[in-house]
Amino acid sequence: MQLTQSSVGRKIIMAVTGIVLVAFVCVHLLGNTSIFVGADAINAYAQKLHSLGPLVWVFRLVMLAAFVIHIFFGIQLTIENKAATPEANVQVKRQKTGFAAETMVISGLVLLAFVIYHLLHFTVRVTNPEIYVPMGDQGMVDVYYMVVMGFQAVLPVAVYVVAMGFLFLHVSHGFQSFFQTLGLSNDKSLPITMNISKLIAVVLLLGYISIPVLIVAGLVKI
Amino acid sequence: MKLKLHVWRQNGPNDKGRLETYEAPDVSPDQSFLEMLDDVNQALAKEGRDIIAFDHDCREGICGMCSQVINGKAHGGQERTTVCQLHMREFNDGDEIYIEPWKAKAFPIIKDLAVDRTGLEKIIQAGGYTSCHTGGVADGNALPIGKEAADYAMDAAECIGCGACVASCPNSSAMLFTSAKVAQLAVLPQGKVEAHRRVMAMTEAAKESDFGNCTNHYECQAACPKGIDVKFIAKLNREYLKALIK
């Protein structure tokens, strides 16, 4: 009750679910960059994940739970925080916070929309049915072919690049927030975690956009 | 100096406020901001007009009564400075200055620039104290407190309760104010006894008083005239986790 209703309790929930999601995007990026090693590498990686069987579903449920809880409390807290300031001053000059921190709910909702599109694109396979070519006899598809063909047009590439811009914003504020919220920061460490936060956000941004951009530029091809 | 002031005028919590423009024709750079407003009010009173209401008391930067958002920044944005300690030499001839009250649901406007900060009192009433038997004055050094803890507690105790943290927070959260008291008492032997109950009660009181939730903008520290550090919010979060697990 305390945890799900109090101000600090919900902040802790946001931090813990948030760090799970950051951990996921980091691991996801590591796995995805195997596409640069070659078709065999990323297909072997996909095969490995596929072979985990029911564990994949346990993992997916945990991620889904973290995702839904993070979004639910994020929206709820934002509504409360807006209500706490019914009328702003005519002049408002911020001294410390930034665009990323002030637009967390917007970048968050854009990422939600992106994740839905991304799942339709590569997991549920709705948007581009022509990019799936069966491989082997266990219902697998050629992941390398799927990704390369999925990024031949400029539009999906643009969507991914823009969405990763929002991921950059979200993580740059969110990661350091985790340490502050769990009481793991002090006056000495906070500036450091804030810089690490931005660094991780930049690495995620460059890492993720490199895949669609290098494909559409023709540097990674079938 | 000659200045043009845009001042928030509002007759009460239910009135719809508005900015009104006033001239300050003869401002000395040696005046404090409040002295400049005193002159404006004197001129208004002479004309038989309604003077601008604003809170003030000690005028030496220690009481926490003055509370104005000047040009969009709580206390005017000068580092570790209350409005009363802000001097007109920081402004230039011909400047236009916007003067507005603390704006938050938890701070209803009484009149013009004066707001009701009872919400902060409610947070203190919920746990900003230590329960102890009264009696004779305790002997000096009967209760040893390490230098580090004493310094830490003193830094937190610098809070003057002005509410600039709330006014500057995009969420109108009072977490810096709350954390300063929680952290101060949590490191002292007198306060440790009730530490768990205190952090729960004080954060709950903040919520009930319509303050928002902290989302780590750190605007509060930048606006605080006493430089209260957001490390105390981290400390509050730590205390909260300890109380939760217990």
Side-chain angles (χ1 to χ4, degrees):
Chain A
M1 280 297 262
Q2 252 304 324
L3 199 62
T4 55
Q5 290 187 1
S6 73
S7 182
V8 187
R10 287 178 294 167
K11 190 180 179 184
I12 292 167
I13 292 176
M14 288 302 288
V16 172
T17 51
I19 207 73
V20 168
L21 296 169
V22 170
F24 170 76
V25 289
C26 290
V27 173
H28 192 49
L29 176 62
L30 272 179
N32 288 0
T33 47
S34 62
I35 195 165
F36 296 133
V37 180
D40 292 343
I42 193 163
N43 277 324
Y45 168 65
Q47 183 96 48
K48 184 88 190 158
L49 288 182
H50 202 78
S51 67
L52 295 175
L55 268 180
V56 173
W57 278 102
V58 172
F59 176 76
R60 281 175 172 170
L61 284 175
V62 170
M63 290 315 302
L64 181 69
F67 198 61
V68 169
I69 292 168
H70 193 77
I71 293 166
F72 173 81
F73 284 112
I75 292 172
Q76 190 191 51
L77 289 164
T78 304
I79 291 170
E80 281 180 24
N81 291 342
K82 296 272 174 238
T85 318
E87 189 190 14
N89 283 118
V90 176
Q91 293 261 319
V92 175
K93 293 217 180 70
R94 303 282 183 224
Q95 301 181 77
K96 175 81 181 163
T97 189
F99 183 75
E102 290 198 84
T103 53
M104 285 302 271
V105 77
I106 297 167
S107 53
L109 289 173
V110 170
L111 287 171
L112 166 64
F114 168 73
V115 167
I116 293 170
Y117 168 69
H118 182 50
L119 290 175
L120 292 175
H121 193 190
F122 285 141
T123 307
V124 193
R125 302 166 191 173
V126 172
T127 55
N128 301 60
E130 73 283 1
I131 62 176
Y132 312 108
V133 177
M135 195 182 72
D137 49 7
Q138 290 167 331
M140 293 266 308
V141 297
D142 185 339
V143 174
Y144 183 82
Y145 183 83
M146 173 186 87
V147 175
V148 173
M149 293 311 286
F151 289 130
Q152 290 304 310
V154 174
L155 187 64
V157 173
V159 168
Y160 276 71
V161 169
V162 170
M164 290 308 101
F166 283 98
L167 179 70
F168 164 80
L169 289 173
H170 209 76
V171 171
S172 69
H173 175 72
F175 186 74
Q176 58 81 27
S177 245
F178 170 81
F179 295 93
Q180 172 75 359
T181 298
L182 290 197
L184 302 171
S185 64
N186 58 34
D187 49 339
K188 303 260 180 345
S189 73
L190 187 61
I192 299 168
T193 44
M194 285 181 91
N195 284 332
I196 293 174
S197 200
K198 287 185 191 115
L199 181 70
I200 290 178
V202 168
V203 170
L204 287 172
L205 173 70
L206 295 179
Y208 273 118
I209 65 172
S210 69
I211 298 167
V213 166
L214 292 179
I215 289 172
V216 80
L219 293 170
V220 177
K221 46 189 179 245
I222 301 300
Chain B
M1 295 193 286
K2 196 174 164 183
L3 301 170
K4 195 183 216 180
L5 311 177
H6 302 280
V7 184
W8 188 261
R9 302 304 305 263
Q10 187 171 337
N11 284 324
N14 299 320
D15 181 30
K16 192 169 158 41
R18 70 219 75 87
L19 282 174
E20 285 181 15
T21 307
Y22 301 89
E23 296 280 332
D26 187 23
V27 178
S28 157
D30 299 328
Q31 281 184 311
S32 77
F33 201 84
L34 297 187
E35 284 164 346
M36 182 274 295
L37 279 180
D38 289 338
D39 283 353
V40 172
N41 270 345
Q42 205 147 22
L44 286 175
K46 269 189 190 154
E47 291 171 26
R49 293 164 69 190
D50 192 22
I51 62 164
I52 301 159
F54 61 88
D55 270 325
H56 64 104
D57 193 5
C58 74
R59 298 211 177 192
E60 54 186 18
I62 57 168
C63 78
M65 271 312 278
C66 55
S67 46
Q68 296 170 23
V69 173
I70 298 164
N71 289 338
K73 294 177 183 174
H75 289 301
Q78 194 180 55
E79 203 182 336
R80 298 196 185 207
T81 308
T82 55
V83 178
C84 65
Q85 292 301 300
L86 181 65
H87 284 78
M88 298 317 294
R89 53 179 169 268
E90 304 300 328
F91 299 90
N92 299 310
D93 188 40
D95 274 2
E96 290 195 29
I97 306 176
Y98 285 81
I99 310 171
E100 299 178 74
W102 285 177
K103 286 256 183 85
K105 193 180 180 200
F107 290 159
I109 288 176
I110 301 167
K111 189 176 187 325
D112 303 335
L113 305 172
V115 300
D116 182 354
R117 283 170 280 184
T118 308
L120 296 181
E121 309 293 339
K122 294 218 169 115
I123 296 173
I124 293 296
Q125 282 163 8
Y129 53 82
T130 60
S131 309
C132 59
H133 294 294
T134 55
V137 178
D139 289 335
N141 294 334
L143 196 58
I145 297 167
K147 169 79 173 144
E148 252 177 47
D151 285 350
Y152 184 92
M154 278 301 282
D155 287 347
E158 264 201 90
C159 171
I160 53 175
C162 64
C165 45
V166 179
S168 62
C169 177
N171 310 327
S172 296
S173 172
M175 204 55 86
L176 190 68
F177 171 84
T178 311
S179 73
K181 193 52 68 186
V182 166
Q184 178 206 338
L185 297 178
V187 294
L188 298 175
Q190 298 96 325
K192 275 186 181 150
V193 185
E194 294 164 293
H196 291 155
R197 194 198 66 77
R198 177 180 306 113
V199 65
M200 291 292 179
M202 288 182 77
T203 49
E204 196 55 34
K207 192 177 170 221
E208 276 167 22
S209 297
D210 289 330
F211 291 104
N213 307 291
C214 173
T215 58
N216 306 328
H217 286 287
Y218 313 132
E219 277 294 311
C220 47
Q221 182 180 334
C224 178
K226 296 294 148 186
I228 304 289
D229 200 293
V230 292
K231 72 179 178 189
F232 296 123
I233 300 183
K235 171 72 173 167
L236 176 144
N237 296 337
R238 223 156 40 232
E239 289 296 317
Y240 183 92
L241 272 169
K242 278 197 254 173
L244 201 66
I245 292 162
K246 190 191 155 262

